Amino acid sequence: RGVDELLQWADIAMYRAKEAGRNVVRFFDPVMQESIERRAALESELRDALEHGEFNLFYQVQVDAGRKVLGAEVLLRWQHPQRGMVAPGEFIPLAEETGLILQIGAWVLDEACAQIARWQYFGVLRDLTLAVNVSARQFTRPDFVDQVKATLQRQAINPLLLKLELTESVVLDDIDASIDKMKALKEIGVHFAMDDFGTGYSSLAYLKRLPLDQLKIDQSFVREIDTAQADRVMVMTMIDLGMNFELDIIAEGVETEAQFDCLYRYGCASFQGYLFSRPVPLDEFEKLVFARLF
Ligand code: C2E
Ligand code: MG
Ligand code: MG
């Protein structure tokens, strides 16, 4: 084994020590190397995935209290030639770290807008909204507003049909800049939802200032709404909050009729979760929309 390899090992151990908060000792362990190699492999595969057309979008239906279809959230899926379907939880963090999320996010936005455009020829699909998740790296780019506007123009769609999902950490990083960007896009009709609401630093001060349209109650609160008193109180408070701020409320992760009943009684207006449908490919989603209509 050469000196280079030895130095590389020492380097890996040093990084682990830094990750552990510095001022600690870490010995090199072959497992460390394996995890780094796995990561490097995933990263290079991720780089090629866009070019190779390995990404596609799944659609998860959003319904109103009468279970009428309002639209869908688009969720990214990576169809890896060897690994099969890779969940976003496994590659989005890496895509964010490496900056690849910028290209991937642009692709997702374009694809969602293109789908809205294709639906304009079909009566029942014409009014469906699509919600698109936006990552921190994307949103904090100075040209984010221009990118969204350019996409809307290229696809020639009604901006009212596009909803962008942001999370608290994305928005609060630089709240003034966030407000400016949101306002610029709201002016042309784009809607905004706060994803994973209740899991972050939810404060009334920021809620008052942000030009939001919708709060999305995180699934962690919905999960035990019919059994845990504390979660029930949280959800009721969030729904009241939304009503007082004149925001639409959507609950995510609704899996059972009991959860749906509970949310409905508290005044929740929109719903998303396995109870209605899992995220599915486009053709299945369209079938579901038609099946619910006739
Ligand atoms: P999210 O935006 O909060 O999406 C909701 C997640 O909950 C999705 O997982 C969805 O499949 C799952 N889910 C929906 N209904 C239920 C339910 O009833 N029960 C349970 N247990 N889970 C349910 P998914 O598709 O794995 O996405 C995970 C996260 O990855 C998303 O969380 C979002 O933060 C991120 N993500 C997905 N697509 C994109 C994308 O295009 N761009 C960016 N930046 N992030 C994305
Ligand atoms: Mg989301
Ligand atoms: Mg969420």
Side-chain angles (χ1 to χ4, degrees), residues 65-83:
R67 306 197 190 205
K68 183 174 148 274
V69 178
L70 301 168
E73 175 177 10
V74 298
L75 294 155
L76 186 60
R77 295 293 180 263
W78 179 11
Q79 191 60 50
H80 190 285
Q82 285 89 41
R83 297 172 204 254

Side-chain angles (χ1 to χ4, degrees), residues 10 43 49 81 83 85 93 118 143 147 179 205 234-235 251 289 293:
E43 184 181 330
R83 297 172 204 254
M85 188 86 85
R118 288 191 281 268
D143 63 353
Q147 190 209 333
I179 291 170
M234 286 287 283
V235 169
V289 174
L293 277 166

Side-chain angles (χ1 to χ4, degrees), residues 249-286:
I249 306 276
I250 185 165
E252 67 179 330
V254 183
E255 294 184 354
T256 68
E257 291 289 346
Q259 290 166 348
F260 175 70
D261 284 346
C262 229
L263 289 158
Y264 177 78
R265 267 189 286 120
Y266 299 155
C268 188
S270 320
F271 310 82
Q272 180 183 341
Y274 295 170
L275 177 62
F276 314 101
S277 168
R278 290 186 174 250
V280 291
L282 178 67
D283 54 336
E284 268 184 64
F285 174 73
E286 289 178 343

Side-chain angles (χ1 to χ4, degrees), residues 114-126:
Q115 191 51 55
I116 292 174
R118 288 191 281 268
W119 281 340
Q120 295 318 296
Y121 301 100
F122 302 95
V124 288
L125 300 167
R126 182 176 297 150

Side-chain angles (χ1 to χ4, degrees), residues 159-173:
L160 285 171
L161 300 175
L162 178 67
K163 186 162 62 183
L164 298 178
E165 291 196 2
L166 304 173
T167 56
E168 290 165 53
S169 56
V170 168
V171 169
L172 297 186
D173 188 42

Side-chain angles (χ1 to χ4, degrees), residues 57 60 73-77 87-89 92 96 101 104-105 108 132-136 138 165 167 195-196 216 218-219 223 252-255 272-275 277-279:
L57 296 182
Q60 187 176 33
E73 175 177 10
V74 298
L75 294 155
L76 186 60
R77 295 293 180 263
I92 297 232
E96 295 225 357
I101 194 70
I104 298 173
V108 172
V132 174
N133 293 287
V134 176
S135 91
Q138 258 179 299
E165 291 196 2
T167 56
D195 203 356
D196 306 339
K216 199 163 190 187
D218 188 64
Q219 41 185 288
R223 197 168 303 136
E252 67 179 330
V254 183
E255 294 184 354
Q272 180 183 341
Y274 295 170
L275 177 62
S277 168
R278 290 186 174 250

Side-chain angles (χ1 to χ4, degrees), residues 55-239:
F55 288 121
N56 61 4
L57 296 182
F58 272 32
Y59 296 74
Q60 187 176 33
V61 72
Q62 299 183 333
V63 300
D64 70 8
R67 306 197 190 205
K68 183 174 148 274
V69 178
L70 301 168
E73 175 177 10
V74 298
L75 294 155
L76 186 60
R77 295 293 180 263
W78 179 11
Q79 191 60 50
H80 190 285
Q82 285 89 41
R83 297 172 204 254
M85 188 86 85
V86 189
E90 286 174 55
F91 66 89
I92 297 232
L94 185 62
E96 295 225 357
E97 270 175 60
T98 54
L100 284 169
I101 194 70
L102 293 175
Q103 287 143 273
I104 298 173
W107 178 85
V108 172
L109 184 68
D110 192 64
E111 192 62 20
C113 291
Q115 191 51 55
I116 292 174
R118 288 191 281 268
W119 281 340
Q120 295 318 296
Y121 301 100
F122 302 95
V124 288
L125 300 167
R126 182 176 297 150
D127 300 324
L128 299 184
T129 61
L130 284 183
V132 174
N133 293 287
V134 176
S135 91
R137 285 286 282 264
Q138 258 179 299
F139 186 69
T140 52
R141 290 267 306 200
D143 63 353
F144 178 74
V145 171
D146 293 335
Q147 190 209 333
V148 176
K149 282 185 176 171
T151 308
L152 289 165
Q153 269 159 20
R154 188 169 53 245
Q155 300 295 351
I157 60 159
N158 180 356
L160 285 171
L161 300 175
L162 178 67
K163 186 162 62 183
L164 298 178
E165 291 196 2
L166 304 173
T167 56
E168 290 165 53
S169 56
V170 168
V171 169
L172 297 186
D173 188 42
D174 181 348
I175 186 156
D176 292 312
S178 299
I179 291 170
D180 287 346
K181 286 179 187 172
M182 290 170 76
K183 280 191 175 150
L185 287 171
K186 270 191 76 95
E187 242 168 52
I188 59 166
V190 175
H191 283 74
F192 285 93
M194 181 60 82
D195 203 356
D196 306 339
F197 185 67
T199 60
Y201 310 92
S202 326
S203 91
L204 290 176
Y206 92 68
L207 210 57
K208 191 183 69 183
R209 294 182 59 204
L210 290 175
L212 287 164
D213 300 279
Q214 188 175 58
L215 298 181
K216 199 163 190 187
I217 301 177
D218 188 64
Q219 41 185 288
S220 59
F221 301 105
V222 173
R223 197 168 303 136
E224 297 191 50
I225 190 178
D226 49 335
T227 49
Q229 172 72 8
D231 285 343
R232 190 151 51 220
V233 171
M234 286 287 283
V235 169
M236 284 164 85
T237 308
M238 285 189 253
I239 293 173

